[in-house]
Amino acid sequence: MAETAAGSKPSPTPAAPAAGALQALCTQLDDHVVQLFLELEQLEGKRAELNARVEEGWFSLSKTRYAMGAKAVSPLQYSSSMAPLFRVCANEPEPGRPEFEVVFTKVGSPKESSPKEDQGVIDGEPKSESPVLRRRQQSHASPPQPTPPTPATETSVEQDPLTWFGILVPQSLRQAQGSFRAALLIAGEIAGLQSRIEWERAQIQALLQEKRKLLEQMMVE
């Protein structure tokens, strides 16, 4: 009877590999869940910091408009030609997990001719000459060949946007610029965090499906 009873008991060896796989799967799932909560906490702090920086920037800008006048700090002072001072770099270290980084770029380099040279020459002749002297020179020499004018926007050097509002701007305007720059950098970090959170959620969903399938196989066995 004892031998019969002992022989009727199922062997625990077939379920051992499944139990080990289930334990490893649960460990991976726990790691992803903990990482997800940590990134959600970081995202909440970054959003609060972003809102604080934007509020500081608008408050400093309001102080500047109060000191200089609403018309002195408005879109009317914007330059006709603008160049971005920030660019966003994106890479994908893992499939489906893009990373973003906001990088500060330097101003553009000057062209071959300078604006001072363009201002001192009109149709290939100096500005300082009088019309009478110009007519005398043209009577003894051959007529000059017309040269295509160079646009000032192509030869001008990109400057700090603060110079659009004057040379000596208030300190509050510089503080507003610094606050908005910091907000841009934080926005890049928030975009990276949101991307990692979405990737963590996708990993958790995949692990849960795999765990469900493994449990169904163990129940069938």
Side-chain angles (χ1 to χ4, degrees):
M1 294 292 292
E3 294 178 357
T4 305
S8 63
K9 289 182 179 179
S11 177
T13 54
L22 181 62
Q23 182 66 28
L25 192 62
C26 291
T27 302
Q28 294 181 8
L29 188 59
D30 293 341
D31 293 340
H32 282 287
V33 171
V34 171
Q35 185 65 26
L36 176 62
F37 281 115
L38 291 176
E39 290 175 352
L40 286 173
E41 184 179 1
Q42 293 179 6
L43 179 62
E44 186 68 21
K46 290 296 181 180
R47 284 178 174 175
E49 188 177 358
L50 175 63
N51 293 333
R53 290 294 185 181
V54 172
E55 289 178 1
E56 290 176 2
W58 283 114
F59 181 70
S60 299
L61 192 60
S62 300
K63 290 171 61 178
T64 305
R65 297 189 69 181
Y66 179 78
M68 299 180 61
K71 295 183 179 179
V73 185
S74 66
L76 298 176
Q77 280 71 40
Y78 291 171
S79 176
S80 58
S81 61
M82 300 183 184
L85 299 180
F86 290 86
R87 60 187 179 91
V88 180
C89 299
N91 57 359
E92 194 170 353
E94 298 182 17
R97 184 183 175 182
E99 296 286 343
F100 304 97
E101 182 181 5
V102 180
V103 182
F104 179 76
T105 58
K106 296 182 180 179
V107 295
S109 58
K111 304 296 182 180
E112 295 179 357
S113 58
S114 62
K116 293 182 180 179
E117 295 175 355
D118 295 336
Q119 292 176 1
V121 177
I122 297 180
D123 294 336
E125 296 180 2
K127 261 188 175 181
S128 58
E129 295 179 357
S130 62
V132 179
L133 182 59
R134 185 180 298 116
R135 285 196 297 269
R136 288 180 181 177
Q137 291 180 352
Q138 291 181 357
S139 61
H140 295 285
S142 59
Q145 297 294 331
T147 57
T150 305
T153 56
E154 295 181 0
T155 60
S156 61
V157 183
E158 296 296 338
Q159 298 178 352
D160 190 351
L162 290 181
T163 58
W164 301 344
F165 308 98
I167 300 176
L168 299 176
V169 296
Q171 185 65 24
S172 56
L173 187 59
R174 298 185 183 275
Q175 293 175 354
Q177 184 188 41
S179 298
F180 288 131
R181 283 185 175 181
L184 284 175
L185 296 176
I186 297 172
E189 296 178 3
I190 289 177
L193 279 173
Q194 289 177 342
S195 175
R196 290 196 294 271
I197 287 172
E198 293 298 327
W199 184 81
E200 291 289 348
R201 286 177 175 174
Q203 294 296 316
I204 290 174
Q205 291 295 330
L207 289 173
L208 286 175
Q209 292 180 3
E210 188 176 352
K211 180 181 177 181
R212 190 179 300 111
K213 292 179 180 179
L214 187 58
L215 289 174
E216 291 176 355
Q217 292 177 2
M218 294 177 64
M219 291 177 63
V220 170
E221 293 177 357

